[in-house]
Every structure is written in structure tokens, then in C-alpha cells.
């Protein structure tokens, strides 16, 4: 059995760092490759892995939401009266909704 500080003989810091620094391709599904040295049947590892993948996905959405908000802001500043009229009439594009941020798993 692995100790509190290791999984399959590797430090949790090393594993988390390898997951957190995984690269993502824009416009593709969020995928994070796991280190080959870690046992995939370790529940704590899998919880951390899923959480990091979910947070990376949320980061991608947040970046997209920021682009939309910047575009809406630019439109509003370019022609404030027209923008207010479009909001009042209901014709204005809707701003992105809030995200529910995933909980960090409790690791023993």
C-alpha cells in the first residue's frame, strides 16, 4: 500500500505537476494524459485526475466567456444608446452564465 505522500512509489507533487502541466489543443476535447507509472485503479489518483481535467475544461470555457464579454463590452462602449435599446427590447446577445466550479476531492 502506498503511503500518504506517494502513489505507486511516486510523490503526489510529481503526479499533480505532471497533470497540471499537460498541454491542451485549442478546439479539442480536454484530455490530460496520465503518467504511465501510476496505477489507474488508485481511487485517490483518479479523483485528482478527474478534478484537474474538469478544472481545465472549465478554464477553457471561462476563456471563451471572457472573449464574449469583451465583445459585448466593446459593442456597448462603441454605441451606448443602441446597446441600451437592444437590452431593453430583449434583442441584445445574452452574456455567458455562471459556472459551477468543481469541488477539490478530499485525499486521505
Amino acid at each position: 500500500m502506498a503511503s500518504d505522500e506517494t502513489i505507486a512509489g511516486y510523490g503526489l507533487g510529481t503526479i499533480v505537476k505532471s497533470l497540471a502541466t499537460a498541454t491542451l489543443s485549442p478546439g479539442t476535447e480536454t484530455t490530460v494524459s496520465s503518467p504511465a507509472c501510476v496505477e489507474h485503479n488508485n481511487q485517490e489518483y483518479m479523483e485528482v485526475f478527474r478534478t484537474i481535467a474538469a478544472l481545465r475544461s472549465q478554464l477553457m470555457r471561462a476563456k471563451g466567456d471572457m472573449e464574449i464579454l469583451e465583445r459585448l463590452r466593446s459593442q456597448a462602449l462603441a454605441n451606448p444608446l443602441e446597446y441600451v435599446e437592444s437590452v431593453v427590447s430583449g434583442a441584445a446577445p445574452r452574456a455567458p452564465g455562471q459556472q459551477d466550479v468543481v469541488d477539490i476531492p478530499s485525499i486521505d
Side-chain angles (χ1 to χ4, degrees):
M1 173 69 63
S3 73
D4 288 343
E5 296 298 317
T6 65
I7 296 177
Y10 291 87
L12 287 175
T14 302
I15 294 166
V16 170
K17 183 178 179 183
S18 70
L19 291 172
T21 59
T23 58
L24 298 174
S25 301
T28 61
E29 282 189 36
T30 303
T31 57
V32 181
S33 59
S34 62
C37 61
V38 178
E39 297 176 25
H40 292 285
N41 60 354
N42 183 299
Q43 187 62 33
E44 288 178 345
Y45 166 78
M46 294 305 291
E47 286 180 29
V48 170
F49 186 81
R50 282 190 298 268
T51 301
I52 290 172
L55 289 171
R56 285 185 162 273
S57 176
Q58 288 179 330
L59 176 62
M60 300 278 289
R61 178 178 166 200
K63 287 180 179 181
D65 289 352
M66 287 302 297
E67 290 174 9
I68 293 169
L69 291 170
E70 284 294 326
R71 189 172 54 247
L72 291 174
R73 180 179 177 268
S74 295
Q75 291 171 357
L77 291 175
N79 194 341
L81 290 178
E82 183 179 307
Y83 184 77
V84 169
E85 288 172 0
S86 69
V87 169
V88 170
S89 70
R94 294 187 52 92
Q98 294 181 340
Q99 291 190 57
D100 291 327
V101 178
V102 298
D103 291 329
I104 303 298
S106 175
I107 305 295
D108 294 329

